[in-house]
Amino acid sequence: MRLRILIGIPKTGGRKMGRRSDQRALKKAKNLSSNSDLSEKTGRLKANISATREKALEAKLAESEAEQWQRENCNAIKAYNAAVSEHGCFAEEYRTF
């Protein structure tokens, strides 16, 4: 069995994993609109809409950055997989799995 790299995770540039923005940045007020039924139901839950929105935006940004990394490194991943197919993995004879 040969190990193949199929996808990768982009480096975070020194940020904590999962954080795509500076958490010390000042808050900025925005006027946002949303579905009235959704707003009403969320209000009943006493959910922190700002925090929920930030988490959703962080997740979307992480997804976008991962897709961009995948596109930018597609050729290198294909080349690596081809090399592994042809020559095997480094130190394959020593692995125990």
Side-chain angles (χ1 to χ4, degrees):
M1 173 163 117
R2 291 200 170 125
L3 180 65
R4 301 186 111 196
I5 293 180
L6 300 176
I7 62 168
I9 306 297
K11 291 185 179 181
T12 61
R15 296 183 300 253
K16 285 185 178 182
M17 289 300 286
R19 291 293 184 184
R20 298 292 189 269
S21 63
D22 182 358
Q23 298 304 298
R24 297 167 294 164
L26 296 175
K27 300 286 183 180
K28 189 173 184 178
K30 290 284 183 186
N31 185 13
L32 302 172
S33 59
S34 65
N35 176 302
S36 61
D37 184 52
L38 183 61
S39 294
E40 183 180 318
K41 289 177 179 177
T42 305
R44 282 190 237 133
L45 292 174
K46 304 225 186 299
N48 183 333
I49 295 172
S50 294
T52 303
R53 180 181 148 269
E54 283 185 11
K55 286 179 186 176
L57 290 172
E58 289 275 355
K60 186 65 176 169
L61 184 56
E63 178 185 328
S64 176
E65 287 176 351
E67 288 171 358
Q68 180 180 353
W69 186 94
Q70 184 75 29
R71 283 189 305 274
E72 290 173 355
N73 292 284
C74 179
N75 291 335
I77 293 168
K78 285 179 183 176
Y80 175 79
N81 286 336
V84 169
S85 291
E86 186 176 340
H87 304 290
C89 291
F90 174 76
E92 187 171 7
E93 65 271 17
Y94 301 112
R95 72 180 184 183
T96 59
F97 56 91

